[in-house]
mmCIF file with all atom_site columns, all heavy atoms in Angstrom:
data_model
loop_
_atom_site.group_PDB
_atom_site.id
_atom_site.type_symbol
_atom_site.label_atom_id
_atom_site.label_alt_id
_atom_site.label_comp_id
_atom_site.label_asym_id
_atom_site.label_entity_id
_atom_site.label_seq_id
_atom_site.pdbx_PDB_ins_code
_atom_site.Cartn_x
_atom_site.Cartn_y
_atom_site.Cartn_z
_atom_site.occupancy
_atom_site.B_iso_or_equiv
_atom_site.pdbx_formal_charge
_atom_site.auth_seq_id
_atom_site.auth_comp_id
_atom_site.auth_asym_id
_atom_site.auth_atom_id
_atom_site.pdbx_PDB_model_num
ATOM 1   N N   . ASP A 1 1  ? 1.805   19.416  3.576  1.00 0.00 ? 1  ASP A N   1
ATOM 2   C CA  . ASP A 1 1  ? 0.829   20.473  3.823  1.00 0.00 ? 1  ASP A CA  1
ATOM 3   C C   . ASP A 1 1  ? -0.390  19.975  4.584  1.00 0.00 ? 1  ASP A C   1
ATOM 4   O O   . ASP A 1 1  ? -1.394  20.662  4.675  1.00 0.00 ? 1  ASP A O   1
ATOM 5   C CB  . ASP A 1 1  ? 0.385   21.114  2.507  1.00 0.00 ? 1  ASP A CB  1
ATOM 6   C CG  . ASP A 1 1  ? -0.219  20.095  1.533  1.00 0.00 ? 1  ASP A CG  1
ATOM 7   O OD1 . ASP A 1 1  ? -0.451  18.939  1.949  1.00 0.00 ? 1  ASP A OD1 1
ATOM 8   O OD2 . ASP A 1 1  ? -0.435  20.462  0.376  1.00 0.00 ? 1  ASP A OD2 1
ATOM 9   N N   . ASP A 1 2  ? -0.289  18.747  5.123  1.00 0.00 ? 2  ASP A N   1
ATOM 10  C CA  . ASP A 1 2  ? -1.379  18.133  5.893  1.00 0.00 ? 2  ASP A CA  1
ATOM 11  C C   . ASP A 1 2  ? -2.625  17.843  5.065  1.00 0.00 ? 2  ASP A C   1
ATOM 12  O O   . ASP A 1 2  ? -3.656  17.485  5.607  1.00 0.00 ? 2  ASP A O   1
ATOM 13  C CB  . ASP A 1 2  ? -1.771  19.007  7.100  1.00 0.00 ? 2  ASP A CB  1
ATOM 14  C CG  . ASP A 1 2  ? -0.659  19.104  8.125  1.00 0.00 ? 2  ASP A CG  1
ATOM 15  O OD1 . ASP A 1 2  ? 0.092   18.121  8.254  1.00 0.00 ? 2  ASP A OD1 1
ATOM 16  O OD2 . ASP A 1 2  ? -0.549  20.144  8.777  1.00 0.00 ? 2  ASP A OD2 1
ATOM 17  N N   . MET A 1 3  ? -2.538  18.002  3.762  1.00 0.00 ? 3  MET A N   1
ATOM 18  C CA  . MET A 1 3  ? -3.689  17.733  2.906  1.00 0.00 ? 3  MET A CA  1
ATOM 19  C C   . MET A 1 3  ? -3.390  16.636  1.887  1.00 0.00 ? 3  MET A C   1
ATOM 20  O O   . MET A 1 3  ? -4.241  15.822  1.574  1.00 0.00 ? 3  MET A O   1
ATOM 21  C CB  . MET A 1 3  ? -4.108  19.019  2.169  1.00 0.00 ? 3  MET A CB  1
ATOM 22  C CG  . MET A 1 3  ? -4.650  20.100  3.110  1.00 0.00 ? 3  MET A CG  1
ATOM 23  S SD  . MET A 1 3  ? -6.142  19.581  3.987  1.00 0.00 ? 3  MET A SD  1
ATOM 24  C CE  . MET A 1 3  ? -7.291  19.438  2.622  1.00 0.00 ? 3  MET A CE  1
ATOM 25  N N   . THR A 1 4  ? -2.170  16.638  1.351  1.00 0.00 ? 4  THR A N   1
ATOM 26  C CA  . THR A 1 4  ? -1.778  15.638  0.358  1.00 0.00 ? 4  THR A CA  1
ATOM 27  C C   . THR A 1 4  ? -0.434  15.034  0.756  1.00 0.00 ? 4  THR A C   1
ATOM 28  O O   . THR A 1 4  ? 0.308   15.592  1.562  1.00 0.00 ? 4  THR A O   1
ATOM 29  C CB  . THR A 1 4  ? -1.665  16.257  -1.042 1.00 0.00 ? 4  THR A CB  1
ATOM 30  O OG1 . THR A 1 4  ? -0.642  17.273  -1.027 1.00 0.00 ? 4  THR A OG1 1
ATOM 31  C CG2 . THR A 1 4  ? -2.976  16.870  -1.481 1.00 0.00 ? 4  THR A CG2 1
ATOM 32  N N   . ALA A 1 5  ? -0.136  13.887  0.156  1.00 0.00 ? 5  ALA A N   1
ATOM 33  C CA  . ALA A 1 5  ? 1.151   13.230  0.392  1.00 0.00 ? 5  ALA A CA  1
ATOM 34  C C   . ALA A 1 5  ? 1.546   12.494  -0.880 1.00 0.00 ? 5  ALA A C   1
ATOM 35  O O   . ALA A 1 5  ? 0.697   11.915  -1.565 1.00 0.00 ? 5  ALA A O   1
ATOM 36  C CB  . ALA A 1 5  ? 1.060   12.267  1.566  1.00 0.00 ? 5  ALA A CB  1
ATOM 37  N N   . VAL A 1 6  ? 2.818   12.518  -1.185 1.00 0.00 ? 6  VAL A N   1
ATOM 38  C CA  . VAL A 1 6  ? 3.343   11.822  -2.356 1.00 0.00 ? 6  VAL A CA  1
ATOM 39  C C   . VAL A 1 6  ? 4.256   10.705  -1.870 1.00 0.00 ? 6  VAL A C   1
ATOM 40  O O   . VAL A 1 6  ? 5.317   10.956  -1.304 1.00 0.00 ? 6  VAL A O   1
ATOM 41  C CB  . VAL A 1 6  ? 4.119   12.774  -3.280 1.00 0.00 ? 6  VAL A CB  1
ATOM 42  C CG1 . VAL A 1 6  ? 4.668   12.018  -4.486 1.00 0.00 ? 6  VAL A CG1 1
ATOM 43  C CG2 . VAL A 1 6  ? 3.222   13.930  -3.736 1.00 0.00 ? 6  VAL A CG2 1
ATOM 44  N N   . ILE A 1 7  ? 3.815   9.466   -2.065 1.00 0.00 ? 7  ILE A N   1
ATOM 45  C CA  . ILE A 1 7  ? 4.549   8.303   -1.583 1.00 0.00 ? 7  ILE A CA  1
ATOM 46  C C   . ILE A 1 7  ? 5.359   7.717   -2.728 1.00 0.00 ? 7  ILE A C   1
ATOM 47  O O   . ILE A 1 7  ? 4.809   7.295   -3.742 1.00 0.00 ? 7  ILE A O   1
ATOM 48  C CB  . ILE A 1 7  ? 3.580   7.249   -1.022 1.00 0.00 ? 7  ILE A CB  1
ATOM 49  C CG1 . ILE A 1 7  ? 2.735   7.847   0.108  1.00 0.00 ? 7  ILE A CG1 1
ATOM 50  C CG2 . ILE A 1 7  ? 4.347   6.034   -0.520 1.00 0.00 ? 7  ILE A CG2 1
ATOM 51  C CD1 . ILE A 1 7  ? 1.629   6.925   0.586  1.00 0.00 ? 7  ILE A CD1 1
ATOM 52  N N   . GLN A 1 8  ? 6.677   7.725   -2.559 1.00 0.00 ? 8  GLN A N   1
ATOM 53  C CA  . GLN A 1 8  ? 7.580   7.171   -3.563 1.00 0.00 ? 8  GLN A CA  1
ATOM 54  C C   . GLN A 1 8  ? 8.566   6.215   -2.899 1.00 0.00 ? 8  GLN A C   1
ATOM 55  O O   . GLN A 1 8  ? 9.097   6.542   -1.830 1.00 0.00 ? 8  GLN A O   1
ATOM 56  C CB  . GLN A 1 8  ? 8.357   8.286   -4.268 1.00 0.00 ? 8  GLN A CB  1
ATOM 57  C CG  . GLN A 1 8  ? 7.497   9.204   -5.131 1.00 0.00 ? 8  GLN A CG  1
ATOM 58  C CD  . GLN A 1 8  ? 8.316   10.314  -5.743 1.00 0.00 ? 8  GLN A CD  1
ATOM 59  O OE1 . GLN A 1 8  ? 8.893   11.121  -5.010 1.00 0.00 ? 8  GLN A OE1 1
ATOM 60  N NE2 . GLN A 1 8  ? 8.369   10.359  -7.067 1.00 0.00 ? 8  GLN A NE2 1
ATOM 61  N N   . PRO A 1 9  ? 8.834   5.079   -3.518 1.00 0.00 ? 9  PRO A N   1
ATOM 62  C CA  . PRO A 1 9  ? 8.153   4.535   -4.692 1.00 0.00 ? 9  PRO A CA  1
ATOM 63  C C   . PRO A 1 9  ? 6.730   4.094   -4.338 1.00 0.00 ? 9  PRO A C   1
ATOM 64  O O   . PRO A 1 9  ? 6.353   4.094   -3.167 1.00 0.00 ? 9  PRO A O   1
ATOM 65  C CB  . PRO A 1 9  ? 9.029   3.341   -5.073 1.00 0.00 ? 9  PRO A CB  1
ATOM 66  C CG  . PRO A 1 9  ? 9.629   2.907   -3.772 1.00 0.00 ? 9  PRO A CG  1
ATOM 67  C CD  . PRO A 1 9  ? 9.875   4.172   -3.005 1.00 0.00 ? 9  PRO A CD  1
ATOM 68  N N   . ILE A 1 10 ? 5.969   3.721   -5.339 1.00 0.00 ? 10 ILE A N   1
ATOM 69  C CA  . ILE A 1 10 ? 4.604   3.252   -5.103 1.00 0.00 ? 10 ILE A CA  1
ATOM 70  C C   . ILE A 1 10 ? 4.647   2.004   -4.222 1.00 0.00 ? 10 ILE A C   1
ATOM 71  O O   . ILE A 1 10 ? 5.427   1.083   -4.481 1.00 0.00 ? 10 ILE A O   1
ATOM 72  C CB  . ILE A 1 10 ? 3.917   2.924   -6.447 1.00 0.00 ? 10 ILE A CB  1
ATOM 73  C CG1 . ILE A 1 10 ? 3.782   4.200   -7.294 1.00 0.00 ? 10 ILE A CG1 1
ATOM 74  C CG2 . ILE A 1 10 ? 2.553   2.293   -6.221 1.00 0.00 ? 10 ILE A CG2 1
ATOM 75  C CD1 . ILE A 1 10 ? 3.287   3.956   -8.705 1.00 0.00 ? 10 ILE A CD1 1
ATOM 76  N N   . PRO A 1 11 ? 3.850   1.963   -3.166 1.00 0.00 ? 11 PRO A N   1
ATOM 77  C CA  . PRO A 1 11 ? 3.858   0.784   -2.286 1.00 0.00 ? 11 PRO A CA  1
ATOM 78  C C   . PRO A 1 11 ? 3.547   -0.498  -3.053 1.00 0.00 ? 11 PRO A C   1
ATOM 79  O O   . PRO A 1 11 ? 2.592   -0.553  -3.831 1.00 0.00 ? 11 PRO A O   1
ATOM 80  C CB  . PRO A 1 11 ? 2.752   1.103   -1.272 1.00 0.00 ? 11 PRO A CB  1
ATOM 81  C CG  . PRO A 1 11 ? 2.640   2.594   -1.276 1.00 0.00 ? 11 PRO A CG  1
ATOM 82  C CD  . PRO A 1 11 ? 2.922   3.007   -2.694 1.00 0.00 ? 11 PRO A CD  1
ATOM 83  N N   . VAL A 1 12 ? 4.370   -1.501  -2.851 1.00 0.00 ? 12 VAL A N   1
ATOM 84  C CA  . VAL A 1 12 ? 4.155   -2.807  -3.483 1.00 0.00 ? 12 VAL A CA  1
ATOM 85  C C   . VAL A 1 12 ? 3.060   -3.547  -2.702 1.00 0.00 ? 12 VAL A C   1
ATOM 86  O O   . VAL A 1 12 ? 3.111   -3.621  -1.471 1.00 0.00 ? 12 VAL A O   1
ATOM 87  C CB  . VAL A 1 12 ? 5.455   -3.634  -3.479 1.00 0.00 ? 12 VAL A CB  1
ATOM 88  C CG1 . VAL A 1 12 ? 5.225   -5.013  -4.084 1.00 0.00 ? 12 VAL A CG1 1
ATOM 89  C CG2 . VAL A 1 12 ? 6.557   -2.883  -4.234 1.00 0.00 ? 12 VAL A CG2 1
ATOM 90  N N   . HIS A 1 13 ? 2.079   -4.051  -3.411 1.00 0.00 ? 13 HIS A N   1
ATOM 91  C CA  . HIS A 1 13 ? 0.930   -4.681  -2.750 1.00 0.00 ? 13 HIS A CA  1
ATOM 92  C C   . HIS A 1 13 ? 1.349   -5.815  -1.822 1.00 0.00 ? 13 HIS A C   1
ATOM 93  O O   . HIS A 1 13 ? 0.799   -5.979  -0.726 1.00 0.00 ? 13 HIS A O   1
ATOM 94  C CB  . HIS A 1 13 ? -0.064  -5.187  -3.794 1.00 0.00 ? 13 HIS A CB  1
ATOM 95  C CG  . HIS A 1 13 ? -0.790  -4.078  -4.491 1.00 0.00 ? 13 HIS A CG  1
ATOM 96  N ND1 . HIS A 1 13 ? -1.677  -4.297  -5.525 1.00 0.00 ? 13 HIS A ND1 1
ATOM 97  C CD2 . HIS A 1 13 ? -0.757  -2.732  -4.315 1.00 0.00 ? 13 HIS A CD2 1
ATOM 98  C CE1 . HIS A 1 13 ? -2.168  -3.138  -5.943 1.00 0.00 ? 13 HIS A CE1 1
ATOM 99  N NE2 . HIS A 1 13 ? -1.619  -2.184  -5.229 1.00 0.00 ? 13 HIS A NE2 1
ATOM 100 N N   . SER A 1 14 ? 2.323   -6.614  -2.253 1.00 0.00 ? 14 SER A N   1
ATOM 101 C CA  . SER A 1 14 ? 2.757   -7.732  -1.415 1.00 0.00 ? 14 SER A CA  1
ATOM 102 C C   . SER A 1 14 ? 3.422   -7.234  -0.136 1.00 0.00 ? 14 SER A C   1
ATOM 103 O O   . SER A 1 14 ? 3.304   -7.877  0.920  1.00 0.00 ? 14 SER A O   1
ATOM 104 C CB  . SER A 1 14 ? 3.704   -8.645  -2.190 1.00 0.00 ? 14 SER A CB  1
ATOM 105 O OG  . SER A 1 14 ? 4.853   -7.929  -2.632 1.00 0.00 ? 14 SER A OG  1
ATOM 106 N N   . ASP A 1 15 ? 4.116   -6.091  -0.207 1.00 0.00 ? 15 ASP A N   1
ATOM 107 C CA  . ASP A 1 15 ? 4.749   -5.523  0.991  1.00 0.00 ? 15 ASP A CA  1
ATOM 108 C C   . ASP A 1 15 ? 3.696   -5.030  1.975  1.00 0.00 ? 15 ASP A C   1
ATOM 109 O O   . ASP A 1 15 ? 3.809   -5.253  3.188  1.00 0.00 ? 15 ASP A O   1
ATOM 110 C CB  . ASP A 1 15 ? 5.667   -4.363  0.611  1.00 0.00 ? 15 ASP A CB  1
ATOM 111 C CG  . ASP A 1 15 ? 6.905   -4.824  -0.145 1.00 0.00 ? 15 ASP A CG  1
ATOM 112 O OD1 . ASP A 1 15 ? 7.171   -6.042  -0.160 1.00 0.00 ? 15 ASP A OD1 1
ATOM 113 O OD2 . ASP A 1 15 ? 7.614   -3.964  -0.716 1.00 0.00 ? 15 ASP A OD2 1
ATOM 114 N N   . VAL A 1 16 ? 2.684   -4.346  1.465  1.00 0.00 ? 16 VAL A N   1
ATOM 115 C CA  . VAL A 1 16 ? 1.598   -3.876  2.327  1.00 0.00 ? 16 VAL A CA  1
ATOM 116 C C   . VAL A 1 16 ? 0.901   -5.077  2.965  1.00 0.00 ? 16 VAL A C   1
ATOM 117 O O   . VAL A 1 16 ? 0.629   -5.084  4.173  1.00 0.00 ? 16 VAL A O   1
ATOM 118 C CB  . VAL A 1 16 ? 0.586   -3.026  1.538  1.00 0.00 ? 16 VAL A CB  1
ATOM 119 C CG1 . VAL A 1 16 ? -0.587  -2.614  2.436  1.00 0.00 ? 16 VAL A CG1 1
ATOM 120 C CG2 . VAL A 1 16 ? 1.268   -1.789  0.958  1.00 0.00 ? 16 VAL A CG2 1
ATOM 121 N N   . ALA A 1 17 ? 0.624   -6.088  2.164  1.00 0.00 ? 17 ALA A N   1
ATOM 122 C CA  . ALA A 1 17 ? -0.045  -7.290  2.671  1.00 0.00 ? 17 ALA A CA  1
ATOM 123 C C   . ALA A 1 17 ? 0.766   -7.943  3.787  1.00 0.00 ? 17 ALA A C   1
ATOM 124 O O   . ALA A 1 17 ? 0.212   -8.404  4.788  1.00 0.00 ? 17 ALA A O   1
ATOM 125 C CB  . ALA A 1 17 ? -0.279  -8.285  1.527  1.00 0.00 ? 17 ALA A CB  1
ATOM 126 N N   . SER A 1 18 ? 2.082   -7.951  3.629  1.00 0.00 ? 18 SER A N   1
ATOM 127 C CA  . SER A 1 18 ? 2.948   -8.551  4.644  1.00 0.00 ? 18 SER A CA  1
ATOM 128 C C   . SER A 1 18 ? 2.912   -7.761  5.946  1.00 0.00 ? 18 SER A C   1
ATOM 129 O O   . SER A 1 18 ? 2.943   -8.339  7.031  1.00 0.00 ? 18 SER A O   1
ATOM 130 C CB  . SER A 1 18 ? 4.388   -8.627  4.121  1.00 0.00 ? 18 SER A CB  1
ATOM 131 O OG  . SER A 1 18 ? 5.266   -9.131  5.095  1.00 0.00 ? 18 SER A OG  1
ATOM 132 N N   . ARG A 1 19 ? 2.818   -6.443  5.834  1.00 0.00 ? 19 ARG A N   1
ATOM 133 C CA  . ARG A 1 19 ? 2.793   -5.616  7.039  1.00 0.00 ? 19 ARG A CA  1
ATOM 134 C C   . ARG A 1 19 ? 1.478   -5.735  7.802  1.00 0.00 ? 19 ARG A C   1
ATOM 135 O O   . ARG A 1 19 ? 1.464   -5.659  9.037  1.00 0.00 ? 19 ARG A O   1
ATOM 136 C CB  . ARG A 1 19 ? 3.050   -4.143  6.683  1.00 0.00 ? 19 ARG A CB  1
ATOM 137 C CG  . ARG A 1 19 ? 4.477   -3.811  6.334  1.00 0.00 ? 19 ARG A CG  1
ATOM 138 C CD  . ARG A 1 19 ? 4.717   -2.312  6.332  1.00 0.00 ? 19 ARG A CD  1
ATOM 139 N NE  . ARG A 1 19 ? 3.953   -1.614  5.319  1.00 0.00 ? 19 ARG A NE  1
ATOM 140 C CZ  . ARG A 1 19 ? 4.389   -1.382  4.085  1.00 0.00 ? 19 ARG A CZ  1
ATOM 141 N NH1 . ARG A 1 19 ? 5.581   -1.836  3.707  1.00 0.00 ? 19 ARG A NH1 1
ATOM 142 N NH2 . ARG A 1 19 ? 3.650   -0.722  3.216  1.00 0.00 ? 19 ARG A NH2 1
ATOM 143 N N   . VAL A 1 20 ? 0.370   -5.883  7.093  1.00 0.00 ? 20 VAL A N   1
ATOM 144 C CA  . VAL A 1 20 ? -0.934  -5.837  7.763  1.00 0.00 ? 20 VAL A CA  1
ATOM 145 C C   . VAL A 1 20 ? -1.618  -7.201  7.823  1.00 0.00 ? 20 VAL A C   1
ATOM 146 O O   . VAL A 1 20 ? -2.781  -7.298  8.201  1.00 0.00 ? 20 VAL A O   1
ATOM 147 C CB  . VAL A 1 20 ? -1.876  -4.812  7.085  1.00 0.00 ? 20 VAL A CB  1
ATOM 148 C CG1 . VAL A 1 20 ? -1.227  -3.442  7.065  1.00 0.00 ? 20 VAL A CG1 1
ATOM 149 C CG2 . VAL A 1 20 ? -2.267  -5.248  5.681  1.00 0.00 ? 20 VAL A CG2 1
ATOM 150 N N   . SER A 1 21 ? -0.900  -8.244  7.452  1.00 0.00 ? 21 SER A N   1
ATOM 151 C CA  . SER A 1 21 ? -1.401  -9.619  7.560  1.00 0.00 ? 21 SER A CA  1
ATOM 152 C C   . SER A 1 21 ? -2.683  -9.830  6.761  1.00 0.00 ? 21 SER A C   1
ATOM 153 O O   . SER A 1 21 ? -3.742  -10.183 7.293  1.00 0.00 ? 21 SER A O   1
ATOM 154 C CB  . SER A 1 21 ? -1.640  -9.992  9.030  1.00 0.00 ? 21 SER A CB  1
ATOM 155 O OG  . SER A 1 21 ? -1.904  -11.373 9.161  1.00 0.00 ? 21 SER A OG  1
ATOM 156 N N   . THR A 1 22 ? -2.568  -9.599  5.447  1.00 0.00 ? 22 THR A N   1
ATOM 157 C CA  . THR A 1 22 ? -3.696  -9.874  4.560  1.00 0.00 ? 22 THR A CA  1
ATOM 158 C C   . THR A 1 22 ? -3.126  -10.359 3.228  1.00 0.00 ? 22 THR A C   1
ATOM 159 O O   . THR A 1 22 ? -1.962  -10.773 3.158  1.00 0.00 ? 22 THR A O   1
ATOM 160 C CB  . THR A 1 22 ? -4.591  -8.635  4.392  1.00 0.00 ? 22 THR A CB  1
ATOM 161 O OG1 . THR A 1 22 ? -5.772  -8.997  3.668  1.00 0.00 ? 22 THR A OG1 1
ATOM 162 C CG2 . THR A 1 22 ? -3.884  -7.513  3.665  1.00 0.00 ? 22 THR A CG2 1
ATOM 163 N N   . THR A 1 23 ? -3.927  -10.342 2.166  1.00 0.00 ? 23 THR A N   1
ATOM 164 C CA  . THR A 1 23 ? -3.487  -10.835 0.863  1.00 0.00 ? 23 THR A CA  1
ATOM 165 C C   . THR A 1 23 ? -3.256  -9.690  -0.102 1.00 0.00 ? 23 THR A C   1
ATOM 166 O O   . THR A 1 23 ? -3.785  -8.581  0.075  1.00 0.00 ? 23 THR A O   1
ATOM 167 C CB  . THR A 1 23 ? -4.533  -11.775 0.257  1.00 0.00 ? 23 THR A CB  1
ATOM 168 O OG1 . THR A 1 23 ? -5.747  -11.021 0.002  1.00 0.00 ? 23 THR A OG1 1
ATOM 169 C CG2 . THR A 1 23 ? -4.850  -12.922 1.209  1.00 0.00 ? 23 THR A CG2 1
ATOM 170 N N   . ARG A 1 24 ? -2.453  -9.956  -1.130 1.00 0.00 ? 24 ARG A N   1
ATOM 171 C CA  . ARG A 1 24 ? -2.220  -8.941  -2.170 1.00 0.00 ? 24 ARG A CA  1
ATOM 172 C C   . ARG A 1 24 ? -3.526  -8.559  -2.855 1.00 0.00 ? 24 ARG A C   1
ATOM 173 O O   . ARG A 1 24 ? -3.715  -7.393  -3.223 1.00 0.00 ? 24 ARG A O   1
ATOM 174 C CB  . ARG A 1 24 ? -1.228  -9.480  -3.203 1.00 0.00 ? 24 ARG A CB  1
ATOM 175 C CG  . ARG A 1 24 ? 0.206   -9.552  -2.696 1.00 0.00 ? 24 ARG A CG  1
ATOM 176 C CD  . ARG A 1 24 ? 1.126   -10.173 -3.712 1.00 0.00 ? 24 ARG A CD  1
ATOM 177 N NE  . ARG A 1 24 ? 0.816   -11.589 -3.904 1.00 0.00 ? 24 ARG A NE  1
ATOM 178 C CZ  . ARG A 1 24 ? 1.446   -12.383 -4.760 1.00 0.00 ? 24 ARG A CZ  1
ATOM 179 N NH1 . ARG A 1 24 ? 2.412   -11.914 -5.510 1.00 0.00 ? 24 ARG A NH1 1
ATOM 180 N NH2 . ARG A 1 24 ? 1.102   -13.659 -4.874 1.00 0.00 ? 24 ARG A NH2 1
ATOM 181 N N   . GLU A 1 25 ? -4.411  -9.535  -3.018 1.00 0.00 ? 25 GLU A N   1
ATOM 182 C CA  . GLU A 1 25 ? -5.689  -9.254  -3.676 1.00 0.00 ? 25 GLU A CA  1
ATOM 183 C C   . GLU A 1 25 ? -6.517  -8.263  -2.864 1.00 0.00 ? 25 GLU A C   1
ATOM 184 O O   . GLU A 1 25 ? -7.159  -7.357  -3.434 1.00 0.00 ? 25 GLU A O   1
ATOM 185 C CB  . GLU A 1 25 ? -6.465  -10.555 -3.877 1.00 0.00 ? 25 GLU A CB  1
ATOM 186 C CG  . GLU A 1 25 ? -5.856  -11.528 -4.873 1.00 0.00 ? 25 GLU A CG  1
ATOM 187 C CD  . GLU A 1 25 ? -4.639  -12.273 -4.334 1.00 0.00 ? 25 GLU A CD  1
ATOM 188 O OE1 . GLU A 1 25 ? -4.423  -12.250 -3.094 1.00 0.00 ? 25 GLU A OE1 1
ATOM 189 O OE2 . GLU A 1 25 ? -3.904  -12.858 -5.151 1.00 0.00 ? 25 GLU A OE2 1
ATOM 190 N N   . THR A 1 26 ? -6.501  -8.412  -1.546 1.00 0.00 ? 26 THR A N   1
ATOM 191 C CA  . THR A 1 26 ? -7.227  -7.475  -0.692 1.00 0.00 ? 26 THR A CA  1
ATOM 192 C C   . THR A 1 26 ? -6.638  -6.080  -0.806 1.00 0.00 ? 26 THR A C   1
ATOM 193 O O   . THR A 1 26 ? -7.375  -5.084  -0.915 1.00 0.00 ? 26 THR A O   1
ATOM 194 C CB  . THR A 1 26 ? -7.182  -7.944  0.777  1.00 0.00 ? 26 THR A CB  1
ATOM 195 O OG1 . THR A 1 26 ? -7.859  -9.194  0.887  1.00 0.00 ? 26 THR A OG1 1
ATOM 196 C CG2 . THR A 1 26 ? -7.851  -6.921  1.691  1.00 0.00 ? 26 THR A CG2 1
ATOM 197 N N   . VAL A 1 27 ? -5.315  -5.988  -0.794 1.00 0.00 ? 27 VAL A N   1
ATOM 198 C CA  . VAL A 1 27 ? -4.660  -4.677  -0.918 1.00 0.00 ? 27 VAL A CA  1
ATOM 199 C C   . VAL A 1 27 ? -5.027  -4.032  -2.249 1.00 0.00 ? 27 VAL A C   1
ATOM 200 O O   . VAL A 1 27 ? -5.368  -2.846  -2.306 1.00 0.00 ? 27 VAL A O   1
ATOM 201 C CB  . VAL A 1 27 ? -3.137  -4.816  -0.786 1.00 0.00 ? 27 VAL A CB  1
ATOM 202 C CG1 . VAL A 1 27 ? -2.457  -3.462  -1.027 1.00 0.00 ? 27 VAL A CG1 1
ATOM 203 C CG2 . VAL A 1 27 ? -2.759  -5.359  0.586  1.00 0.00 ? 27 VAL A CG2 1
ATOM 204 N N   . ALA A 1 28 ? -4.979  -4.801  -3.338 1.00 0.00 ? 28 ALA A N   1
ATOM 205 C CA  . ALA A 1 28 ? -5.319  -4.268  -4.656 1.00 0.00 ? 28 ALA A CA  1
ATOM 206 C C   . ALA A 1 28 ? -6.760  -3.769  -4.684 1.00 0.00 ? 28 ALA A C   1
ATOM 207 O O   . ALA A 1 28 ? -7.051  -2.693  -5.243 1.00 0.00 ? 28 ALA A O   1
ATOM 208 C CB  . ALA A 1 28 ? -5.101  -5.338  -5.722 1.00 0.00 ? 28 ALA A CB  1
ATOM 209 N N   . ARG A 1 29 ? -7.669  -4.518  -4.072 1.00 0.00 ? 29 ARG A N   1
ATOM 210 C CA  . ARG A 1 29 ? -9.080  -4.114  -4.055 1.00 0.00 ? 29 ARG A CA  1
ATOM 211 C C   . ARG A 1 29 ? -9.272  -2.822  -3.261 1.00 0.00 ? 29 ARG A C   1
ATOM 212 O O   . ARG A 1 29 ? -10.005 -1.917  -3.690 1.00 0.00 ? 29 ARG A O   1
ATOM 213 C CB  . ARG A 1 29 ? -9.926  -5.237  -3.458 1.00 0.00 ? 29 ARG A CB  1
ATOM 214 C CG  . ARG A 1 29 ? -11.427 -4.953  -3.504 1.00 0.00 ? 29 ARG A CG  1
ATOM 215 C CD  . ARG A 1 29 ? -12.239 -6.130  -3.011 1.00 0.00 ? 29 ARG A CD  1
ATOM 216 N NE  . ARG A 1 29 ? -12.020 -6.392  -1.595 1.00 0.00 ? 29 ARG A NE  1
ATOM 217 C CZ  . ARG A 1 29 ? -11.345 -7.440  -1.129 1.00 0.00 ? 29 ARG A CZ  1
ATOM 218 N NH1 . ARG A 1 29 ? -10.818 -8.330  -1.959 1.00 0.00 ? 29 ARG A NH1 1
ATOM 219 N NH2 . ARG A 1 29 ? -11.193 -7.612  0.175  1.00 0.00 ? 29 ARG A NH2 1
#
């Protein structure tokens, strides 16, 4: 609806960190 989004499964912090070249701690923060 261009207002909300439901992301499943929940993004794993280490996966996000790997994609954007940062640390899991940064993603968690």
Side-chain angles (χ1 to χ4, degrees):
D1 58 9
D2 294 328
M3 294 298 294
T4 62
V6 179
I7 302 172
Q8 293 177 299
I10 296 172
V12 178
H13 289 176
S14 59
D15 291 347
V16 177
S18 177
R19 286 194 296 270
V20 303
S21 190
T22 188
T23 64
R24 287 176 292 179
E25 292 76 15
T26 296
V27 176
R29 185 175 66 251

